[in-house]
Amino acid sequence: MNPSAHARACGIDFGTSNSAVGWYRPGASALLPLEDGHPTMPSAIFFHAEDSTVSYGRAALEDYLAGYDGRLMRAMKNLLGSSLIDGHTEIGGRAVPFRVLLTHFIARLKARAEAAAGRTFTSVVMGRPAFFVDGDEAADRNAQETLGEIAAAVGFEHVAFQYEPLAAAFDYESQIAREELVLVIDIGGGTSDFSLIRLGPERAGKPDRREDILAHGGVHIGGGDFDRHLNLAAFMPLLGLGGKLRSGKDVPSTPYSNLASWHTINFAYTNKAQETLSYIRANAAERDKIELLLTLVKERAGHWLSLQVEQAKIDLSDAPATEASLDRIAPDRTLAITRADLDQATAPLIDRIESSVAALLREAGVARSAVDTVFFTGGSSRVSCLRERIGAMLPGVRNVEGDLFGSIGAGLALDAARKFGF
């Protein structure tokens, strides 16, 4: 088929940590290069204070880590469905609505995808989690509507949505030669999503796949939550979390809570937060730890510390222990962390994920032994304890690891071609 005959439709996986854009072309990779040849781009924006320029993706993280004065925004997807989406943040002395930040980023995704494809895209299938917000249908609906409004605002004339684990399933389906009953486990940056679906070459071309989907669900837990729990359990105690004031009361936890989540880190730098820090400094029993906290805030190094936490989590997927550098706030100091530390910190989260998967299998009404394949996607699906728990739940089932950061984007491209024409 002549490439010019393809519909001007793409799929966008706007992720909490990373994003991708897919465009279906038979015989070619669906994922479009978005940054220096990479098919994914970190969901990050850095606003430079000195010259008002803006950088995106890896460039945003590099500029932040290089020490440029400015403001880093990451994990913006977490704003969808929350009360913050209608609020604003201060950038360069002016109030910028959060909706505008999301629009800036998705517009940049669209522009880079179009430059790579050599064409404009007028239709899109946007990926979405099973639930933007757990247990709140109105908030979940509002989140999708907001994302749809942003897609329209950046120039898409036709906007559709697809559940992210189903998109990953479509990508896997394009690679198999026989029918399989597949449990998709998608552990993204902000959510964990699951689908039990019948896949196969003869089913792939069906316009309506509803009868193939046996069960679908998810829980609002993702890699960012693993990072947060590891941060609070292993890193923040070095900065005074869990300590006491001279009065015997606990050190206030709010600064640590803000610094442990990507989308609230900047709250730790506000004037109100400074008042809390001044109080803690004046009254803390362990002043040396509080000085490290104050250094972190003074250097606006919260995102840097979160990157160290994230890297430690990644390292522990392959190794039993690792060391995290603390050189930006404490020269020559490192923190030793073991896989057991990660397992203990994230146990409540993995319990909830396991319970959600078990509930989904019960809802489907099929024996666990009937499942042929577990298909893992999403960066945090590599967490060892999670894999072990899923393996114990489904012993003997074949485990397949997809493109952890690209399966959803590729599947959305397929879905876009089916919805809007090849």
Side-chain angles (χ1 to χ4, degrees):
M1 184 183 293
N2 187 325
S4 64
H6 288 296
R8 296 184 180 273
C10 66
I12 291 184
D13 174 20
F14 170 45
T16 303
S17 300
N18 294 278
S19 295
V21 181
W23 174 41
Y24 179 73
R25 295 154 295 164
S29 171
L31 297 181
L32 293 166
L34 299 176
E35 185 177 22
D36 300 328
H38 294 283
T40 61
M41 186 167 79
S43 303
I45 307 177
F46 185 74
F47 296 87
H48 290 256
E50 294 181 358
D51 55 11
S52 299
T53 59
V54 182
S55 50
Y56 298 83
R58 289 171 185 80
L61 296 176
E62 290 167 2
D63 288 349
Y64 167 77
L65 292 174
Y68 287 104
D69 188 20
R71 182 75 178 275
L72 178 70
M73 301 295 297
R74 200 180 180 195
M76 294 169 288
K77 185 177 180 178
N78 286 336
L79 296 167
L80 292 168
S82 79
S83 59
L84 292 174
I85 191 63
D86 293 317
H88 65 271
T89 188
E90 184 177 316
I91 297 175
R94 62 191 181 91
V96 179
F98 285 119
R99 284 176 184 257
V100 171
L101 295 179
L102 268 66
T103 303
H104 274 311
F105 185 78
I106 292 175
R108 183 53 56 110
L109 280 180
K110 183 175 187 286
R112 290 193 179 185
E114 289 175 340
R119 63 172 51 218
T120 58
F121 291 116
T122 58
S123 302
V124 66
V125 175
M126 301 289 298
R128 59 148 296 163
F131 304 106
F132 282 103
V133 182
D134 291 341
D136 190 334
E137 292 184 7
D140 187 78
R141 185 168 55 252
N142 183 63
Q144 178 170 303
E145 290 174 355
T146 299
L147 189 56
E149 290 165 1
I150 290 171
V154 303
F156 288 112
E157 298 173 13
H158 309 285
V159 181
F161 292 89
Q162 183 56 269
Y163 291 110
E164 289 157 357
L166 293 182
F170 296 151
D171 179 48
Y172 176 63
E173 186 175 52
S174 70
Q175 306 165 38
I176 60 177
R178 63 178 181 84
E179 184 169 309
E180 299 179 18
L181 179 58
V182 179
L183 173 63
V184 180
I185 305 286
D186 170 25
I187 314 294
T191 59
S192 295
D193 297 292
F194 323 107
S195 290
L196 186 64
I197 182 171
R198 297 192 187 281
L199 301 175
E202 294 182 1
R203 296 177 181 270
K206 293 166 55 179
D208 188 343
R209 300 299 299 273
R210 281 177 290 186
E211 67 177 24
D212 295 334
I213 302 168
L214 277 67
H216 179 63
V219 62
H220 204 265
I221 294 173
D225 299 288
F226 292 159
D227 296 347
R228 173 184 172 81
H229 278 239
L230 180 60
N231 198 340
L232 291 171
F235 287 77
M236 288 299 171
L238 298 177
L239 310 184
L241 178 63
K244 298 291 185 180
L245 302 176
R246 290 197 302 271
S247 65
K249 294 182 179 180
D250 293 337
V251 170
S253 62
T254 299
Y256 305 99
S257 179
N258 284 336
L259 287 165
S261 296
W262 281 103
H263 64 295
T264 59
I265 287 172
N266 288 310
F267 293 165
Y269 308 143
T270 64
N271 290 334
K272 183 177 181 180
Q274 292 296 331
E275 293 175 3
T276 301
L277 291 174
S278 296
Y279 169 79
I280 293 173
R281 183 181 193 182
N283 294 279
E286 298 178 289
R287 291 286 295 274
D288 56 335
K289 293 183 177 181
I290 301 306
E291 290 301 329
L292 283 180
L293 171 64
L294 294 173
T295 299
L296 181 79
V297 172
K298 180 182 177 181
E299 296 295 324
R300 297 206 167 200
H303 290 93
W304 165 83
L305 183 63
S306 289
L307 287 169
Q308 310 315 304
V309 176
E310 183 180 36
Q311 188 59 52
K313 177 193 68 179
I314 293 169
D315 292 346
L316 292 171
S317 295
D318 297 315
T322 189
E323 284 195 350
S325 172
L326 301 175
D327 60 352
R328 189 158 174 176
I329 59 172
D332 301 322
R333 187 167 178 179
T334 60
L335 174 64
I337 311 171
T338 67
R339 184 176 291 169
D341 294 328
L342 176 63
D343 291 350
Q344 183 176 358
T346 59
L349 304 177
I350 293 176
D351 285 346
R352 288 181 59 196
I353 290 172
E354 182 182 27
S355 295
S356 183
V357 172
L360 177 135
L361 292 171
R362 287 195 300 272
E363 177 190 340
V366 298
R368 295 184 182 185
S369 59
V371 178
D372 297 302
T373 304
V374 177
F375 182 73
F376 290 100
T377 189
S380 288
S381 70
R382 295 192 68 237
V383 170
S384 299
C385 185
L386 172 68
R387 293 272 181 115
E388 291 167 4
R389 297 278 283 274
I390 298 299
M393 184 185 300
L394 295 163
V397 173
R398 188 168 69 107
N399 292 334
V400 175
E401 182 177 287
D403 182 337
L404 297 182
F405 302 102
S407 288
I408 293 173
L412 291 172
L414 268 172
D415 201 42
R418 292 167 182 164
K419 281 183 166 69
F420 298 112
F422 284 87

